[in-house]
């Protein structure tokens, strides 16, 4: 009996590691797709003009991204794994289009440096989320309040156009996305403890990758706003 229990424990542990590895693999793929597409578009003037010289196109893309996240959250339990994969890749492509402005506005060495800093900060918070014994799930209500506050502040500053206010918003946003990284990582670790290789957990790995992808992009873009050097 002890041998069987140990075997089951080892199998569960292997499945948990596989689940977590799958989450980060999907996230890495999405970052690569978004980054590569953003770079290509930034070097294709005709496409860049279509996206960024027409404010309606930009707002349409931004709204579509928000709608997608709400839609994906609502249907993730109902759709098939292959549909979840296609939708996730679609989102990374969509985000790659909007991120093309990064390469068009900021110097390349500045982008690389801030990307590395973002990756380091993300990794530290992700590791913290994996190893901490603190029940950080209780922090979510505070993070939610902070998200709402930042959104309101962003809308206000859209009309005020205050550089100082914008800097404060970006600074607070970096902190927010760092804690969200730890929170989402903790959720992924908890989910991995029950992972069994079923379709449910295949889709859960994609959804977890989406959450971490958004966290990373949030850290990166706000650090870029704070410290990026424009062309």
């Amino acid at each position: 009996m002890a041998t069987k229990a140990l075997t089951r424990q080892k199998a569960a542990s292997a499945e948990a590691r596989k689940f977590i590895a799958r989450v980060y693999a999907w996230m890495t793929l999405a970052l690569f797709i978004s980054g590569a597409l953003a770079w290509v578009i930034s070097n294709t003037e005709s496409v860049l003009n279509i996206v960024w010289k027409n404010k309606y196109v930009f707002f349409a893309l931004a709204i579509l991204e928000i709608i997608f996240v709400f839609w994906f959250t609502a249907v993730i339990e109902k759709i098939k794994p292959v549909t979840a994969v296609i939708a996730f890749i679609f989102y990374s492509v969509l985000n790659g289009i909007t991120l093309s402005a990064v390469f068009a506005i900021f110097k390349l060495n500045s982008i690389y440096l801030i990307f590395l800093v973002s990756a380091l900060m993300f990794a530290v918070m992700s590791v913290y989320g994996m190893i901490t014994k603190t029940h950080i799930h209780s922090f979510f209500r505070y993070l939610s309040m902070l998200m709402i506050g930042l959104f309101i502040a962003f809308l206000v500053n859209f009309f005020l156009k205050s550089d100082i206010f914008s800097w404060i918003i970006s600074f607070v946003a970096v902190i927010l996305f760092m804690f969200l990284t730890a929170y989402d990582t903790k959720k992924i670790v908890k989910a991995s403890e029950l992972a069994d290789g079923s379709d449910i957990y295949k889709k859960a790995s994609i959804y977890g990758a989406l959450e971490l992808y958004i966290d990373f992009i949030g850290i990166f873009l706000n650090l870029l706003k704070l410290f990026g050097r424009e062309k």
Side-chain angles (χ1 to χ4, degrees):
M1 289 292 291
T3 304
K4 289 183 179 180
L6 183 60
T7 301
R8 286 196 297 269
Q9 185 178 4
K10 287 183 177 179
S13 179
E15 196 63 50
R17 289 194 298 270
K18 188 187 298 183
F19 175 83
I20 293 173
R22 190 181 293 124
V23 170
Y24 285 92
W26 281 121
M27 175 200 161
T28 302
L29 175 63
L31 286 174
F32 175 79
I33 292 173
S34 297
L37 183 60
W39 183 83
V40 170
I41 292 176
S42 70
N43 287 279
T44 309
E45 189 174 353
S46 58
V47 179
L48 195 65
N49 288 338
I50 293 174
V51 176
W52 292 106
K53 286 194 174 180
N54 188 329
K55 63 180 180 180
Y56 297 109
V57 173
F58 168 73
F59 281 116
L61 290 171
I63 292 171
L64 186 57
E65 285 190 22
I66 295 172
I67 292 174
F68 173 88
V69 173
F70 282 106
W71 170 82
F72 197 66
T73 302
V75 304
I76 186 64
E77 294 182 2
K78 304 173 185 177
I79 59 179
K80 295 180 179 179
V82 66
T83 306
V85 170
I86 294 171
F88 182 56
I89 292 175
F90 168 78
Y91 180 76
S92 65
V93 169
L94 187 64
N95 209 33
I97 297 172
T98 59
L99 287 174
S100 60
V102 167
F103 289 96
I105 295 172
F106 295 94
K107 292 183 177 181
L108 204 56
N109 60 346
S110 180
I111 294 172
Y112 290 154
L113 178 60
I114 290 175
F115 183 87
L116 289 175
V117 172
S118 301
L120 179 61
M121 293 171 67
F122 176 89
V124 168
M125 296 307 294
S126 196
V127 170
Y128 172 75
M130 287 183 183
I131 66 176
T132 183
K133 301 300 182 180
T134 306
H135 295 289
I136 60 176
H137 284 66
S138 59
F139 294 165
F140 184 69
R141 62 177 178 271
Y142 302 111
L143 294 176
S144 299
M145 292 167 61
L146 186 56
M147 279 190 283
I148 295 171
L150 276 178
F151 180 71
I152 294 172
F154 174 80
L155 291 178
V156 170
N157 200 47
F158 182 79
F159 298 101
L160 292 179
K161 301 186 184 302
S162 168
D163 291 337
I164 295 177
F165 200 23
S166 178
W167 193 94
I168 294 172
I169 291 171
S170 295
F171 179 79
V172 175
V174 169
I175 296 174
L176 169 65
F177 282 110
M178 286 177 64
F179 277 101
L180 280 174
T181 298
Y183 172 78
D184 290 331
T185 301
K186 190 71 173 180
K187 284 200 307 180
I188 291 165
V189 171
K190 286 292 184 182
S192 73
E193 296 172 358
L194 301 174
D196 56 8
S198 64
D199 284 354
I200 292 175
Y201 284 94
K202 288 178 181 178
K203 292 186 293 184
S205 67
I206 298 169
Y207 187 76
L210 174 65
E211 290 183 315
L212 292 181
Y213 172 89
I214 292 173
D215 295 337
F216 182 90
I217 293 296
I219 294 172
F220 171 67
L221 289 181
N222 284 287
L223 281 179
L224 200 59
K225 286 178 66 177
L226 289 171
F227 305 111
R229 295 178 60 191
E230 296 185 6
K231 292 181 177 179

